[in-house]
Amino acid sequence: MSKEKTYTDCADNMNPLPIVQMDEESFARLSSFITQNYGIKLPIAKKSMLESRLNKKVKSLGMRSYKEFLDFIFTDKGRQTELYQVIDLITTNKTDFFREPAHFQYLTLNFLPQYQLIHKRNNIKIWSAGCSTGEEPYTLVMVLEEYKRRHPELTYTLMASDISVRVIQAAYQGIYDIEKIHRIPIELQRNYFLRSRNNPHIVRIKPIYRKKISYKRINLMDHQYGLGKGDYDIIFCRNVLIYFNRNKQEEVIGKFCHCLRPGGLLLLGHSESIMDMQLPLTQLRPTVYQRV
Ligand SMILES: C[S@@+](CC[C@H](N)C(=O)[O-])C[C@H]1O[C@@H](n2cnc3c(N)ncnc32)[C@H](O)[C@@H]1O
């Protein structure tokens, strides 16, 4: 190969394609599609956030405007090939192990002992809805396994769901940066995580505990979730509905009530509430509700 061939035009790197601006009509079209289909509200203030998250995708498809991009996304081919990735980019997946820890304490110190006693249930089904990259369901595995040491009669099944395929895949892998587990008590770190041999900054949930969770892609906006009436004893849906408007929140929580057994528990995020909603739930604590 001649020396010249190992060089490329300076313009290739020095002048990357300019940022594609999202025009107002495209923003309105995209935001109403997202709100209608996935519940997530996108006021105009989110336009620059959307632009920055989607720009790389638009450019990688060789498109020069959002109109062109959306025209493609809404074709059958675009829906099949790109829409999942657009959802991955639009959703906010911030999460943590033992996030809002009072919920886990309440579950094992108050709720479960009473529920087992009163409802005579030793085999409980839990759903982590909007599980993101898995920190919430794996926290549940840790607290339930610890509870089982004191209550060996308890068995549980745990289902975790999300709309984003990317985060479900990450949750299934159960691989985390070591910094993510620093605040977990050392005893639990030892019991539930493995250190990578190749990279000292990486840990992974032990296989035996990864297998405790089954995953499903569920859009909470779907009419039905393919789950039966009263199938679940406990539903965690925390920091998901905050992105939905009030009507959609009420609709989704209504569907959770259908899936919960009488006496079952619903846990929402710290800034979510059911105030003024007509739902068969009683409040036990802030953000903790029981199916009546
Ligand atoms: C901020 S994370 C919350 C994670 C975890 N529950 C917690 O509290 O740490 C919100 C998650 O909700 C998911 N989500 C957003 N809209 C959804 C929908 N329509 N159906 C299902 N999941 C959705 C997002 O993909 C994201 O992973």
Side-chain angles (χ1 to χ4, degrees):
M1 194 194 287
S2 79
K3 273 194 174 170
E4 276 69 23
K5 291 222 167 127
T6 63
Y7 293 90
T8 179
D9 198 317
C10 283
D12 284 355
N13 272 329
M14 290 165 78
N15 288 326
L17 284 173
I19 294 222
V20 185
Q21 299 288 333
M22 190 184 289
D23 58 289
E24 303 231 327
E25 198 186 321
S26 297
F27 174 78
R29 206 172 149 205
L30 181 60
S31 68
S32 74
F33 174 80
I34 298 292
T35 308
Q36 240 168 34
N37 290 279
Y38 308 109
I40 301 164
K41 52 182 191 246
L42 289 169
I44 189 78
K46 298 264 169 147
K47 183 166 159 297
S48 54
M49 178 275 278
L50 265 191
E51 252 171 10
S52 72
R53 289 188 183 183
L54 291 177
N55 237 280
K56 213 165 144 197
K57 170 101 271 177
V58 175
K59 286 198 266 182
S60 75
L61 292 170
M63 292 172 177
R64 300 211 163 243
S65 73
Y66 273 92
K67 180 177 180 316
E68 194 184 345
F69 174 65
L70 293 182
D71 285 347
F72 174 63
I73 291 296
F74 296 135
T75 60
D76 283 349
K77 184 162 179 240
R79 274 176 204 264
Q80 275 163 26
T81 58
E82 302 298 333
L83 197 55
Y84 284 104
Q85 291 172 45
V86 171
I87 296 162
D88 287 347
L89 291 168
I90 284 173
T91 50
T92 299
N93 312 114
K94 182 183 161 356
T95 184
D96 233 326
F97 291 105
F98 287 92
R99 185 179 192 183
E100 299 175 37
H103 281 162
F104 302 104
Q105 276 174 11
Y106 179 76
L107 184 69
T108 51
L109 294 179
N110 304 81
F111 179 75
L112 278 177
Q114 279 198 18
Y115 190 66
Q116 283 187 276
L117 198 71
I118 297 168
H119 295 271
K120 310 273 178 272
R121 298 267 306 155
N122 286 331
N123 182 2
I124 59 157
K125 285 181 78 176
I126 307 182
W127 175 16
S128 164
C131 65
S132 189
T133 40
E135 287 85 336
E136 180 177 278
Y138 286 124
T139 302
L140 280 165
V141 168
M142 288 185 249
V143 298
L144 290 165
E145 290 294 323
E146 295 302 309
Y147 181 85
K148 267 167 67 71
R149 288 174 197 266
R150 287 168 279 126
H151 301 267
E153 74 287 356
L154 184 98
T155 58
Y156 68 92
T157 54
L158 179 44
M159 192 263 282
S161 71
D162 204 284
I163 182 80
S164 160
V165 178
R166 180 182 58 80
V167 296
I168 293 176
Q169 281 166 347
Y172 179 75
Q173 293 292 320
I175 298 173
Y176 300 97
D177 200 291
I178 200 158
E179 276 171 19
K180 276 231 128 183
I181 68 166
H182 276 160
R183 279 188 298 155
I184 300 178
I186 197 79
E187 196 60 26
L188 297 183
Q189 291 185 25
R190 284 204 192 106
N191 286 347
Y192 297 95
F193 291 86
L194 297 170
R195 262 174 189 267
S196 161
R197 282 186 222 270
N198 304 326
N199 183 341
H201 303 292
I202 298 291
V203 291
R204 189 169 195 188
I205 304 280
K206 289 186 179 175
I208 172 182
Y209 300 119
R210 292 206 302 273
K211 287 188 195 136
K212 299 276 176 193
I213 304 174
S214 64
Y215 293 95
K216 219 171 161 186
R217 181 177 182 266
I218 295 181
N219 178 0
L220 294 174
M221 289 291 290
D222 283 352
H223 180 54
Q224 280 182 334
Y225 303 144
L227 308 172
K229 184 169 192 278
D231 256 1
Y232 281 84
D233 299 280
I234 299 166
I235 300 177
F236 275 69
C237 184
R238 307 183 311 159
N239 309 299
V240 179
L241 299 179
I242 187 175
Y243 302 105
F244 290 32
N245 68 35
R246 198 100 190 126
N247 291 346
K248 306 271 186 231
Q249 289 179 351
E250 189 164 0
E251 262 174 54
V252 172
I253 298 173
K255 287 182 268 184
F256 288 152
C257 290
H258 174 83
C259 298
L260 272 177
R261 295 175 75 88
L265 199 67
L266 172 68
L267 299 106
L268 300 178
H270 62 283
S271 46
E272 297 155 341
S273 102
I274 64 161
M275 205 158 68
D276 300 328
M277 294 183 186
Q278 301 303 310
L279 293 162
L281 293 167
T282 44
Q283 185 166 14
L284 302 177
R285 302 219 163 166
T287 68
V288 179
Y289 304 92
Q290 186 165 38
R291 176 79 165 87
V292 290

